[in-house]
């Protein structure tokens, strides 16, 4: 679902960028994708790595262990969310310089785009972990719902609507809006199912 969604969303982003700014926008977006994969890999790695442990303790009925894992994971992801957002904003200039330093205008565009896109990391970790967490608990429906809404529906809606209000910045902020909306959905599921799965 994530891979299919990413392909469709990338096409839509490129279409919108060509419409609003042209080839420079597509070039900046390509750089952002390279960088975001590195940052998102930290969240994905932790989520996939912790899933078997979560699944084991849930299946074994070790509720205290499951609660502890959930609390520790929440704290770790909160810390990573903040640190990665700060790191991405601070490195926006040097990263832009590395990739497109040959063009001052494109460097400035990429720097701003990276800094705006980086705000999505404040929520991204919760959503990636939330989807993996419910997979580990055996609830594929909730996991798929979070993944589908986060990677496709919310992003498509945001990348189509936000540019009408904010212009080019709306394209860079579309991922932020999608992650915020996905976080609301994830939080609702987490709070709703906490007692049923005994992690709260």
């Amino acid at each position: 679902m994530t891979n299919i969604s990413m392909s469709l969303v990338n096409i839509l982003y490129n279409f919108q960028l060509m419409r609003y700014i042209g080839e420079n926008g597509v070039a900046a977006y390509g750089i952002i994708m390279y960088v975001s994969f590195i940052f998102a890999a930290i969240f994905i790695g932790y989520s996939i790595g912790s899933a078997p442990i979560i699944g084991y303790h849930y299946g074994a009925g070790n509720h205290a262990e499951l609660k502890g894992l959930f609390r520790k994971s929440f704290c770790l992801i909160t810390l990573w969310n903040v640190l990665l957002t700060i790191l991405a904003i601070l490195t926006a200039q040097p990263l832009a310089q590395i990739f497109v330093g040959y063009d001052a205008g494109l460097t400035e565009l990429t720097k701003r785009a990276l800094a705006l896109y980086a705000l999505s990391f404040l929520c991204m970790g919760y959503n990636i972990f939330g989807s993996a967490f419910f997979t580990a608990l055996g609830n594929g429906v909730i996991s798929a719902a979070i993944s589908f809404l986060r990677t496709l529906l919310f992003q498509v809606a945001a990348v189509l609507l936000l540019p009408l209000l904010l212009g080019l910045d709306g394209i860079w902020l579309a991922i932020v809006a999608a992650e915020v909306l996905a976080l609301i959905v994830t939080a609702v599921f987490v709070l709703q199912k906490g007692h049923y799965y005994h992690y709260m």
Side-chain angles (χ1 to χ4, degrees):
M1 174 59 70
T2 300
N3 290 334
I4 293 169
S5 300
M6 279 174 54
S7 298
L8 294 173
V9 168
N10 284 347
I11 292 168
L12 185 56
Y13 266 88
N14 287 334
F15 175 80
Q16 287 287 72
L17 287 164
M18 285 299 291
R19 183 180 168 199
Y20 277 86
I21 195 171
E23 297 88 356
N24 280 355
V26 175
Y29 182 65
I31 295 162
I32 289 170
M33 288 299 93
Y34 287 129
V35 174
S36 68
F37 285 146
I38 295 168
F39 283 79
I42 295 170
F43 298 128
I44 294 168
Y46 179 79
S47 299
I48 292 172
S50 63
I53 303 168
I54 291 166
Y56 170 79
H57 286 300
Y58 173 65
N62 298 332
H63 299 156
E65 288 289 337
L66 188 61
K67 288 177 183 178
L69 273 169
F70 180 76
R71 281 195 302 270
K72 288 171 187 173
S73 295
F74 180 82
C75 292
L76 275 173
I77 290 167
T78 300
L79 179 64
W80 288 335
N81 282 348
V82 174
L83 290 178
L84 290 178
T85 302
I86 293 169
L87 181 62
I89 291 170
L90 292 177
T91 58
Q93 173 68 37
L95 287 171
Q97 197 72 37
I98 290 168
F99 285 101
V100 289
Y102 56 85
D103 186 319
L106 183 52
T107 300
E108 193 57 36
L109 171 67
T110 305
K111 174 190 168 184
R112 178 168 179 79
L114 272 169
L116 291 175
Y117 192 98
L119 298 174
S120 66
F121 297 131
L122 285 170
C123 303
M124 187 180 289
Y126 297 127
N127 297 326
I128 291 172
F129 178 75
S131 180
F133 186 71
F134 282 107
T135 297
L137 296 175
N139 195 324
V141 174
I142 290 180
S143 175
I146 293 170
S147 182
F148 173 76
L149 292 171
R150 174 182 165 264
T151 59
L152 185 62
L153 188 63
F154 290 153
Q155 278 204 62
V156 167
V159 82
L160 288 174
L161 297 175
L162 281 185
L164 299 175
L165 302 172
L166 303 172
L168 180 60
D169 283 351
I171 299 176
W172 309 128
L173 289 169
I175 181 67
V176 181
E179 291 291 355
V180 169
L181 292 171
L183 178 59
I184 294 168
V185 172
T186 301
V188 168
F189 282 132
V190 166
L191 293 172
Q192 188 181 58
K193 297 294 183 179
H195 293 297
Y196 179 81
Y197 288 111
H198 308 288
Y199 57 79
M200 293 183 79

Short mmCIF file of all heavy atoms in Angstrom, two decimals, residues 17-71:
data_model
loop_
_atom_site.label_atom_id
_atom_site.label_comp_id
_atom_site.label_asym_id
_atom_site.label_seq_id
_atom_site.Cartn_x
_atom_site.Cartn_y
_atom_site.Cartn_z
N LEU A 17 4.09 20.63 -9.13
CA LEU A 17 5.32 21.43 -9.16
C LEU A 17 5.59 21.97 -10.56
O LEU A 17 6.00 23.13 -10.72
CB LEU A 17 6.50 20.60 -8.67
CG LEU A 17 6.51 20.36 -7.15
CD1 LEU A 17 7.47 19.24 -6.79
CD2 LEU A 17 6.88 21.63 -6.40
N MET A 18 5.37 21.16 -11.58
CA MET A 18 5.53 21.65 -12.96
C MET A 18 4.55 22.78 -13.25
O MET A 18 4.88 23.74 -13.95
CB MET A 18 5.32 20.49 -13.95
CG MET A 18 6.47 19.51 -14.03
SD MET A 18 8.03 20.27 -14.59
CE MET A 18 7.63 20.64 -16.29
N ARG A 19 3.39 22.66 -12.68
CA ARG A 19 2.36 23.68 -12.89
C ARG A 19 2.69 24.99 -12.20
O ARG A 19 2.46 26.07 -12.74
CB ARG A 19 1.02 23.12 -12.37
CG ARG A 19 -0.16 24.03 -12.57
CD ARG A 19 -1.41 23.36 -12.01
NE ARG A 19 -2.51 24.29 -11.94
CZ ARG A 19 -3.59 24.12 -11.19
NH1 ARG A 19 -3.69 23.03 -10.45
NH2 ARG A 19 -4.54 25.01 -11.16
N TYR A 20 3.25 24.91 -10.98
CA TYR A 20 3.49 26.12 -10.20
C TYR A 20 4.86 26.74 -10.42
O TYR A 20 5.01 27.96 -10.31
CB TYR A 20 3.30 25.82 -8.70
CG TYR A 20 1.85 25.88 -8.27
CD1 TYR A 20 1.03 24.75 -8.40
CD2 TYR A 20 1.29 27.04 -7.75
CE1 TYR A 20 -0.30 24.79 -8.01
CE2 TYR A 20 -0.03 27.09 -7.37
CZ TYR A 20 -0.83 25.97 -7.51
OH TYR A 20 -2.15 26.02 -7.14
N ILE A 21 5.89 25.91 -10.66
CA ILE A 21 7.24 26.49 -10.74
C ILE A 21 8.11 25.89 -11.85
O ILE A 21 9.14 26.46 -12.22
CB ILE A 21 7.95 26.36 -9.38
CG1 ILE A 21 9.17 27.27 -9.33
CG2 ILE A 21 8.30 24.93 -9.06
CD1 ILE A 21 9.80 27.37 -7.96
N GLY A 22 7.76 24.72 -12.36
CA GLY A 22 8.54 24.13 -13.44
C GLY A 22 9.58 23.13 -12.97
O GLY A 22 9.48 22.57 -11.87
N GLU A 23 10.62 22.94 -13.81
CA GLU A 23 11.61 21.88 -13.57
C GLU A 23 12.36 22.04 -12.26
O GLU A 23 12.74 21.04 -11.63
CB GLU A 23 12.63 21.84 -14.72
CG GLU A 23 12.04 21.50 -16.07
CD GLU A 23 11.54 22.73 -16.82
OE1 GLU A 23 11.59 23.84 -16.23
OE2 GLU A 23 11.10 22.59 -17.96
N ASN A 24 12.61 23.27 -11.84
CA ASN A 24 13.32 23.48 -10.58
C ASN A 24 12.57 22.88 -9.39
O ASN A 24 13.18 22.34 -8.46
CB ASN A 24 13.56 24.97 -10.33
CG ASN A 24 14.75 25.50 -11.11
OD1 ASN A 24 15.45 24.73 -11.77
ND2 ASN A 24 14.98 26.79 -11.06
N GLY A 25 11.26 22.97 -9.42
CA GLY A 25 10.45 22.39 -8.35
C GLY A 25 10.57 20.89 -8.30
O GLY A 25 10.68 20.28 -7.23
N VAL A 26 10.58 20.25 -9.48
CA VAL A 26 10.72 18.80 -9.56
C VAL A 26 12.10 18.37 -9.06
O VAL A 26 12.24 17.38 -8.35
CB VAL A 26 10.49 18.30 -11.01
CG1 VAL A 26 10.76 16.80 -11.12
CG2 VAL A 26 9.06 18.63 -11.45
N ALA A 27 13.13 19.16 -9.43
CA ALA A 27 14.49 18.86 -8.96
C ALA A 27 14.58 18.95 -7.44
O ALA A 27 15.16 18.08 -6.78
CB ALA A 27 15.48 19.82 -9.60
N ALA A 28 13.98 20.01 -6.87
CA ALA A 28 13.98 20.18 -5.41
C ALA A 28 13.24 19.04 -4.72
O ALA A 28 13.68 18.52 -3.69
CB ALA A 28 13.35 21.52 -5.04
N TYR A 29 12.13 18.63 -5.32
CA TYR A 29 11.34 17.54 -4.73
C TYR A 29 12.12 16.23 -4.75
O TYR A 29 12.06 15.44 -3.80
CB TYR A 29 10.02 17.39 -5.49
CG TYR A 29 9.12 16.32 -4.93
CD1 TYR A 29 8.58 16.44 -3.65
CD2 TYR A 29 8.80 15.18 -5.67
CE1 TYR A 29 7.75 15.46 -3.12
CE2 TYR A 29 7.98 14.20 -5.15
CZ TYR A 29 7.46 14.35 -3.88
OH TYR A 29 6.64 13.37 -3.36
N GLY A 30 12.86 16.00 -5.83
CA GLY A 30 13.69 14.79 -5.91
C GLY A 30 14.71 14.73 -4.79
O GLY A 30 14.93 13.68 -4.18
N ILE A 31 15.32 15.87 -4.48
CA ILE A 31 16.30 15.94 -3.39
C ILE A 31 15.61 15.67 -2.05
O ILE A 31 16.14 14.93 -1.20
CB ILE A 31 16.99 17.32 -3.37
CG1 ILE A 31 17.81 17.49 -4.66
CG2 ILE A 31 17.86 17.49 -2.14
CD1 ILE A 31 18.19 18.91 -4.96
N ILE A 32 14.44 16.25 -1.87
CA ILE A 32 13.69 16.06 -0.63
C ILE A 32 13.37 14.57 -0.44
O ILE A 32 13.44 14.04 0.68
CB ILE A 32 12.39 16.89 -0.64
CG1 ILE A 32 12.73 18.37 -0.50
CG2 ILE A 32 11.45 16.46 0.48
CD1 ILE A 32 11.56 19.28 -0.74
N MET A 33 13.02 13.89 -1.51
CA MET A 33 12.70 12.46 -1.42
C MET A 33 13.92 11.64 -0.96
O MET A 33 13.80 10.77 -0.11
CB MET A 33 12.21 11.92 -2.77
CG MET A 33 10.82 12.38 -3.15
SD MET A 33 9.54 11.86 -1.97
CE MET A 33 9.44 13.29 -0.88
N TYR A 34 15.10 11.96 -1.50
CA TYR A 34 16.31 11.27 -1.06
C TYR A 34 16.53 11.47 0.44
O TYR A 34 16.81 10.52 1.18
CB TYR A 34 17.54 11.78 -1.81
CG TYR A 34 17.63 11.35 -3.25
CD1 TYR A 34 17.84 12.27 -4.26
CD2 TYR A 34 17.52 10.00 -3.60
CE1 TYR A 34 17.92 11.87 -5.60
CE2 TYR A 34 17.60 9.60 -4.92
CZ TYR A 34 17.81 10.53 -5.91
OH TYR A 34 17.90 10.14 -7.22
N VAL A 35 16.43 12.70 0.87
CA VAL A 35 16.68 13.03 2.28
C VAL A 35 15.62 12.42 3.19
O VAL A 35 15.93 11.84 4.24
CB VAL A 35 16.74 14.56 2.47
CG1 VAL A 35 16.86 14.92 3.95
CG2 VAL A 35 17.90 15.16 1.67
N SER A 36 14.35 12.52 2.79
CA SER A 36 13.27 12.02 3.65
C SER A 36 13.34 10.51 3.82
O SER A 36 12.98 9.98 4.88
CB SER A 36 11.91 12.42 3.09
OG SER A 36 11.63 11.75 1.88
N PHE A 37 13.81 9.78 2.80
CA PHE A 37 13.95 8.33 2.93
C PHE A 37 14.92 7.98 4.05
O PHE A 37 14.69 7.03 4.81
CB PHE A 37 14.45 7.71 1.62
CG PHE A 37 13.41 7.64 0.54
CD1 PHE A 37 13.77 7.79 -0.79
CD2 PHE A 37 12.07 7.43 0.85
CE1 PHE A 37 12.80 7.73 -1.80
CE2 PHE A 37 11.11 7.37 -0.15
CZ PHE A 37 11.48 7.52 -1.48
N ILE A 38 15.98 8.74 4.15
CA ILE A 38 16.99 8.49 5.20
C ILE A 38 16.38 8.72 6.58
O ILE A 38 16.54 7.91 7.49
CB ILE A 38 18.22 9.39 4.99
CG1 ILE A 38 18.92 9.03 3.68
CG2 ILE A 38 19.20 9.26 6.17
CD1 ILE A 38 19.98 10.03 3.24
N PHE A 39 15.67 9.83 6.72
CA PHE A 39 15.07 10.15 8.02
C PHE A 39 13.95 9.17 8.37
O PHE A 39 13.87 8.68 9.50
CB PHE A 39 14.54 11.58 8.00
CG PHE A 39 15.61 12.62 8.13
CD1 PHE A 39 16.40 12.99 7.04
CD2 PHE A 39 15.85 13.25 9.34
CE1 PHE A 39 17.39 13.94 7.17
CE2 PHE A 39 16.85 14.21 9.47
CZ PHE A 39 17.62 14.55 8.38
N ALA A 40 13.08 8.87 7.40
CA ALA A 40 11.97 7.96 7.66
C ALA A 40 12.46 6.55 7.96
O ALA A 40 11.80 5.81 8.70
CB ALA A 40 11.02 7.94 6.46
N ALA A 41 13.62 6.18 7.42
CA ALA A 41 14.17 4.84 7.65
C ALA A 41 14.40 4.57 9.13
O ALA A 41 14.30 3.43 9.59
CB ALA A 41 15.48 4.68 6.88
N ILE A 42 14.71 5.62 9.90
CA ILE A 42 14.92 5.45 11.34
C ILE A 42 13.62 5.01 12.00
O ILE A 42 13.58 4.07 12.81
CB ILE A 42 15.44 6.76 11.96
CG1 ILE A 42 16.83 7.08 11.40
CG2 ILE A 42 15.47 6.68 13.49
CD1 ILE A 42 17.36 8.44 11.75
N PHE A 43 12.52 5.68 11.65
CA PHE A 43 11.21 5.32 12.20
C PHE A 43 10.77 3.93 11.72
O PHE A 43 10.27 3.12 12.50
CB PHE A 43 10.15 6.35 11.79
CG PHE A 43 10.41 7.74 12.28
CD1 PHE A 43 10.40 8.81 11.40
CD2 PHE A 43 10.64 7.99 13.62
CE1 PHE A 43 10.62 10.10 11.85
CE2 PHE A 43 10.87 9.28 14.08
CZ PHE A 43 10.86 10.34 13.19
N ILE A 44 10.97 3.66 10.44
CA ILE A 44 10.56 2.38 9.87
C ILE A 44 11.37 1.24 10.50
O ILE A 44 10.82 0.20 10.87
CB ILE A 44 10.72 2.39 8.34
CG1 ILE A 44 9.74 3.38 7.71
CG2 ILE A 44 10.50 0.99 7.76
CD1 ILE A 44 10.00 3.68 6.24
N GLY A 45 12.68 1.46 10.62
CA GLY A 45 13.54 0.43 11.21
C GLY A 45 13.14 0.08 12.63
O GLY A 45 13.05 -1.09 12.99
N TYR A 46 12.87 1.11 13.44
CA TYR A 46 12.47 0.86 14.82
C TYR A 46 11.12 0.15 14.87
O TYR A 46 10.94 -0.81 15.63
CB TYR A 46 12.39 2.16 15.63
CG TYR A 46 11.96 1.91 17.05
CD1 TYR A 46 12.87 1.44 18.00
CD2 TYR A 46 10.63 2.09 17.44
CE1 TYR A 46 12.47 1.16 19.29
CE2 TYR A 46 10.23 1.81 18.72
CZ TYR A 46 11.15 1.35 19.66
OH TYR A 46 10.74 1.06 20.94
N SER A 47 10.18 0.60 14.04
CA SER A 47 8.84 0.02 14.05
C SER A 47 8.85 -1.44 13.64
O SER A 47 8.21 -2.28 14.28
CB SER A 47 7.93 0.83 13.11
OG SER A 47 7.84 2.16 13.54
N ILE A 48 9.59 -1.76 12.58
CA ILE A 48 9.67 -3.15 12.12
C ILE A 48 10.44 -4.01 13.12
O ILE A 48 10.07 -5.15 13.40
CB ILE A 48 10.32 -3.21 10.72
CG1 ILE A 48 9.40 -2.57 9.68
CG2 ILE A 48 10.64 -4.65 10.33
CD1 ILE A 48 10.02 -2.42 8.31
N GLY A 49 11.51 -3.44 13.68
CA GLY A 49 12.32 -4.17 14.64
C GLY A 49 11.61 -4.48 15.95
O GLY A 49 11.82 -5.53 16.55
N SER A 50 10.75 -3.56 16.38
CA SER A 50 10.05 -3.76 17.66
C SER A 50 8.77 -4.59 17.51
O SER A 50 8.26 -5.12 18.49
CB SER A 50 9.71 -2.41 18.29
OG SER A 50 8.82 -1.67 17.46
N ALA A 51 8.26 -4.71 16.29
CA ALA A 51 6.99 -5.41 16.07
C ALA A 51 6.98 -6.85 16.57
O ALA A 51 6.01 -7.26 17.24
CB ALA A 51 6.61 -5.35 14.59
N PRO A 52 8.02 -7.67 16.30
CA PRO A 52 7.98 -9.05 16.82
C PRO A 52 7.95 -9.12 18.34
O PRO A 52 7.31 -10.00 18.92
CB PRO A 52 9.29 -9.66 16.27
CG PRO A 52 9.66 -8.82 15.10
CD PRO A 52 9.19 -7.43 15.45
N ILE A 53 8.64 -8.17 18.99
CA ILE A 53 8.66 -8.16 20.45
C ILE A 53 7.27 -7.80 20.98
O ILE A 53 6.76 -8.41 21.93
CB ILE A 53 9.71 -7.16 20.98
CG1 ILE A 53 11.08 -7.50 20.40
CG2 ILE A 53 9.77 -7.17 22.50
CD1 ILE A 53 12.12 -6.42 20.62
N ILE A 54 6.66 -6.81 20.35
CA ILE A 54 5.30 -6.40 20.74
C ILE A 54 4.33 -7.55 20.53
O ILE A 54 3.51 -7.87 21.41
CB ILE A 54 4.87 -5.16 19.92
CG1 ILE A 54 5.69 -3.94 20.34
CG2 ILE A 54 3.37 -4.88 20.09
CD1 ILE A 54 5.60 -2.77 19.39
N GLY A 55 4.41 -8.19 19.36
CA GLY A 55 3.53 -9.31 19.07
C GLY A 55 3.69 -10.46 20.03
O GLY A 55 2.71 -11.08 20.46
N TYR A 56 4.95 -10.74 20.41
CA TYR A 56 5.21 -11.83 21.35
C TYR A 56 4.56 -11.55 22.71
O TYR A 56 3.87 -12.42 23.26
CB TYR A 56 6.72 -12.04 21.52
CG TYR A 56 7.05 -12.97 22.65
CD1 TYR A 56 6.96 -14.35 22.48
CD2 TYR A 56 7.42 -12.48 23.91
CE1 TYR A 56 7.23 -15.22 23.53
CE2 TYR A 56 7.69 -13.34 24.95
CZ TYR A 56 7.60 -14.71 24.76
OH TYR A 56 7.86 -15.56 25.80
N HIS A 57 4.80 -10.36 23.24
CA HIS A 57 4.27 -10.06 24.57
C HIS A 57 2.75 -9.97 24.57
O HIS A 57 2.10 -10.36 25.55
CB HIS A 57 4.89 -8.76 25.11
CG HIS A 57 6.31 -8.92 25.55
ND1 HIS A 57 6.68 -9.80 26.54
CD2 HIS A 57 7.46 -8.33 25.12
CE1 HIS A 57 7.99 -9.74 26.72
NE2 HIS A 57 8.49 -8.87 25.86
N TYR A 58 2.19 -9.49 23.47
CA TYR A 58 0.72 -9.47 23.38
C TYR A 58 0.16 -10.88 23.36
O TYR A 58 -0.76 -11.22 24.10
CB TYR A 58 0.27 -8.69 22.14
CG TYR A 58 -1.23 -8.79 21.92
CD1 TYR A 58 -2.12 -8.23 22.83
CD2 TYR A 58 -1.74 -9.47 20.81
CE1 TYR A 58 -3.50 -8.33 22.64
CE2 TYR A 58 -3.11 -9.57 20.62
CZ TYR A 58 -3.98 -9.01 21.53
OH TYR A 58 -5.34 -9.12 21.35
N GLY A 59 0.77 -11.73 22.51
CA GLY A 59 0.31 -13.12 22.41
C GLY A 59 0.50 -13.90 23.69
O GLY A 59 -0.32 -14.76 24.03
N ALA A 60 1.58 -13.60 24.42
CA ALA A 60 1.86 -14.30 25.68
C ALA A 60 1.05 -13.76 26.85
O ALA A 60 1.10 -14.31 27.95
CB ALA A 60 3.35 -14.22 25.99
N GLY A 61 0.35 -12.67 26.61
CA GLY A 61 -0.45 -12.07 27.68
C GLY A 61 0.39 -11.32 28.70
O GLY A 61 -0.05 -11.11 29.84
N ASN A 62 1.60 -10.91 28.32
CA ASN A 62 2.46 -10.13 29.22
C ASN A 62 2.08 -8.65 29.15
O ASN A 62 2.76 -7.85 28.52
CB ASN A 62 3.94 -10.30 28.83
CG ASN A 62 4.40 -11.74 28.93
OD1 ASN A 62 3.87 -12.51 29.74
ND2 ASN A 62 5.37 -12.12 28.13
N HIS A 63 0.99 -8.31 29.79
CA HIS A 63 0.44 -6.96 29.67
C HIS A 63 1.36 -5.89 30.22
O HIS A 63 1.46 -4.79 29.67
CB HIS A 63 -0.93 -6.89 30.34
CG HIS A 63 -1.93 -7.82 29.73
ND1 HIS A 63 -3.03 -8.31 30.40
CD2 HIS A 63 -1.97 -8.39 28.49
CE1 HIS A 63 -3.72 -9.11 29.62
NE2 HIS A 63 -3.10 -9.18 28.46
N ALA A 64 2.03 -6.20 31.32
CA ALA A 64 2.95 -5.22 31.91
C ALA A 64 4.11 -4.92 30.95
O ALA A 64 4.50 -3.75 30.78
CB ALA A 64 3.49 -5.75 33.24
N GLU A 65 4.63 -5.96 30.31
CA GLU A 65 5.71 -5.78 29.34
C GLU A 65 5.22 -4.96 28.14
O GLU A 65 5.94 -4.11 27.62
CB GLU A 65 6.24 -7.13 28.86
CG GLU A 65 7.04 -7.88 29.90
CD GLU A 65 8.40 -7.22 30.16
OE1 GLU A 65 8.89 -6.49 29.30
OE2 GLU A 65 8.95 -7.44 31.26
N LEU A 66 4.02 -5.27 27.69
CA LEU A 66 3.44 -4.56 26.54
C LEU A 66 3.25 -3.08 26.85
O LEU A 66 3.58 -2.22 26.03
CB LEU A 66 2.11 -5.21 26.16
CG LEU A 66 1.47 -4.71 24.85
CD1 LEU A 66 2.38 -4.98 23.66
CD2 LEU A 66 0.12 -5.40 24.65
N LYS A 67 2.77 -2.79 28.05
CA LYS A 67 2.60 -1.40 28.46
C LYS A 67 3.94 -0.69 28.53
O LYS A 67 4.06 0.47 28.10
CB LYS A 67 1.91 -1.32 29.84
CG LYS A 67 0.45 -1.69 29.81
CD LYS A 67 -0.17 -1.68 31.21
CE LYS A 67 -1.61 -2.12 31.17
NZ LYS A 67 -2.23 -2.17 32.50
N GLY A 68 4.94 -1.37 29.07
CA GLY A 68 6.27 -0.78 29.15
C GLY A 68 6.85 -0.51 27.78
O GLY A 68 7.44 0.55 27.54
N LEU A 69 6.70 -1.44 26.86
CA LEU A 69 7.18 -1.26 25.49
C LEU A 69 6.50 -0.09 24.81
O LEU A 69 7.14 0.70 24.12
CB LEU A 69 6.91 -2.53 24.67
CG LEU A 69 7.96 -3.63 24.73
CD1 LEU A 69 7.42 -4.90 24.08
CD2 LEU A 69 9.23 -3.18 24.01
N PHE A 70 5.19 0.01 25.02
CA PHE A 70 4.44 1.10 24.39
C PHE A 70 4.91 2.45 24.93
O PHE A 70 5.14 3.38 24.16
CB PHE A 70 2.94 0.92 24.66
CG PHE A 70 2.10 2.00 24.04
CD1 PHE A 70 1.84 2.02 22.69
CD2 PHE A 70 1.59 3.03 24.84
CE1 PHE A 70 1.08 3.03 22.12
CE2 PHE A 70 0.83 4.04 24.27
CZ PHE A 70 0.57 4.04 22.91
N ARG A 71 5.07 2.56 26.25
CA ARG A 71 5.52 3.83 26.86
C ARG A 71 6.93 4.20 26.41
O ARG A 71 7.20 5.35 26.05
CB ARG A 71 5.47 3.73 28.39
CG ARG A 71 4.09 3.89 28.98
CD ARG A 71 4.15 4.15 30.48
NE ARG A 71 4.84 3.09 31.19
CZ ARG A 71 4.25 2.01 31.69
NH1 ARG A 71 2.95 1.85 31.54
NH2 ARG A 71 4.94 1.10 32.34
#
